[in-house]
Amino acid sequence: MAKAKNTVWLAPGIPFQLEYAPEALEHVRRIAVEAFYSMPRGGMEVGGILLGRHGNGLVEVLNSVPIECEHASGPGFVLSPKDHTKLAALVAGGGRQPGGPELRVVGWFHSHTRSGIFLSAEDLAIHERYFPEPWQVALVVRPEHGAPARAGFFFRGTGGSIRSESTALEFKLQTLAHASPGAVWGAAAGIAPTSEPLPVAGVPDPVPEVETIESPPEPPAPVPVIPVVEAAPRYLLWLTLALGLVALIAMAGFVYRDTEVKVLREDIRRERLRARELERRLEVERKAHEAQVARPAPPAEQPGASQ
Ligand SMILES: [Zn+2]
């Protein structure tokens, strides 16, 4: 199976290159969203460690392992003493998987289902205690109802301090079906993929291609809606033409009727016709042809009309 392209998380101020494999964050997204919907009013918050590689100024997030939080104090991601013991063991194990590539712990993740994307004082304490390396990162995922989950990484700047009140670059965690083949963020941001392979120390397999997240990313462009402003002139043109046509027909009708009346008057004046008022209609008799013309009543009312 072809390896998916890595995505680059290019936030301002980050002192190393941070990349992630889309399938690794898809795993994180899935467990965060499932826990979000597992109970009403915000669901459960979950967390785990991020595994990957680090070297030559590059940090790659390639896998994740959830922490079995017992949620002793509620649905929030708050670690009990038992949870701390599990997390310590997980980190000490270094994320080694028999038969798999040798990965190391590059950070951790957890979800916030009732608050925004930031690191609380408790989160910072976990980060300092278990993930003290300058290149280790924290990822906060915020599931949303009926929308892609939002996410953001946190990292130590060049001075070692962490901007914890908000992430330096928020992004959306699309389902992998939407995110693959890894071109979504780069294409949406209008950024060409990195042309040169990035150096990775001690990695035998080929360096994956990368895509870049830079400006606040958006999902693929929606189907463009035709602006009403553009449609208006054509609509007005048709309306004008239709109104003009109606006016012409009405004028033609008046002219025709007027002509007819003139002809009748001329006939009466020349005594070719004899007109008399009969009840509520005008009965006109053409002398020459012995024909009867009734106006303005319809022909059906005339005497002698066929039944
Ligand atoms: Zn938190």
Side-chain angles (χ1 to χ4, degrees), residues 81-134:
K82 217 183 243 182
D83 296 330
H84 273 284
T85 307
K86 283 183 198 165
L87 176 56
L90 203 56
V91 170
R96 291 182 209 289
Q97 297 165 313
E102 191 166 308
L103 302 177
R104 51 203 298 195
V105 179
V106 294
W108 66 297
F109 71 91
H110 73 293
S111 62
H112 281 179
T113 62
R114 293 171 184 81
S115 56
I117 299 172
F118 72 105
L119 292 182
S120 67
E122 293 76 18
D123 297 336
L124 279 171
I126 290 173
H127 197 65
E128 294 302 330
R129 182 171 171 185
Y130 298 102
F131 311 94
E133 299 293 341

Side-chain angles (χ1 to χ4, degrees), residues 71-265:
H71 290 102
S73 53
F77 186 72
V78 180
L79 300 183
S80 68
K82 217 183 243 182
D83 296 330
H84 273 284
T85 307
K86 283 183 198 165
L87 176 56
L90 203 56
V91 170
R96 291 182 209 289
Q97 297 165 313
E102 191 166 308
L103 302 177
R104 51 203 298 195
V105 179
V106 294
W108 66 297
F109 71 91
H110 73 293
S111 62
H112 281 179
T113 62
R114 293 171 184 81
S115 56
I117 299 172
F118 72 105
L119 292 182
S120 67
E122 293 76 18
D123 297 336
L124 279 171
I126 290 173
H127 197 65
E128 294 302 330
R129 182 171 171 185
Y130 298 102
F131 311 94
E133 299 293 341
W135 43 266
Q136 286 181 315
V137 296
L139 171 68
V140 174
V141 177
R142 166 71 215 208
E144 298 285 353
H145 281 289
R150 294 152 52 216
F153 283 102
F154 296 82
F155 56 89
R156 290 180 180 88
T158 43
S161 65
I162 298 173
R163 172 179 143 173
S164 59
E165 69 278 9
S166 65
T167 177
L169 175 60
E170 184 180 311
F171 60 104
K172 290 190 175 76
L173 281 179
Q174 305 275 4
T175 60
L176 198 53
H178 291 111
S180 83
V184 172
W185 303 121
I191 298 159
T194 307
S195 55
E196 290 179 20
L198 295 151
V200 180
V203 178
D205 56 322
V207 175
E209 293 179 74
V210 294
E211 293 294 331
T212 304
I213 298 178
E214 198 162 47
S215 59
E218 292 296 330
V223 177
V225 177
I226 298 165
V228 177
V229 159
E230 276 184 29
R234 176 165 291 187
Y235 165 74
L236 283 177
L237 179 67
W238 283 113
L239 184 65
T240 308
L241 284 173
L243 286 175
L245 193 61
V246 168
L248 274 174
I249 290 167
M251 278 174 65
F254 279 122
V255 168
Y256 174 73
R257 189 179 158 159
D258 196 41
T259 308
E260 240 186 350
V261 169
K262 276 180 185 164
V263 168
L264 277 174
R265 280 182 184 152

Side-chain angles (χ1 to χ4, degrees), residues 32 35-45 75 112-114 142-143 145:
F36 177 57
Y37 284 113
S38 68
M39 58 181 287
R41 287 192 289 278
M44 305 273 270
E45 293 181 349
H112 281 179
T113 62
R114 293 171 184 81
R142 166 71 215 208
H145 281 289

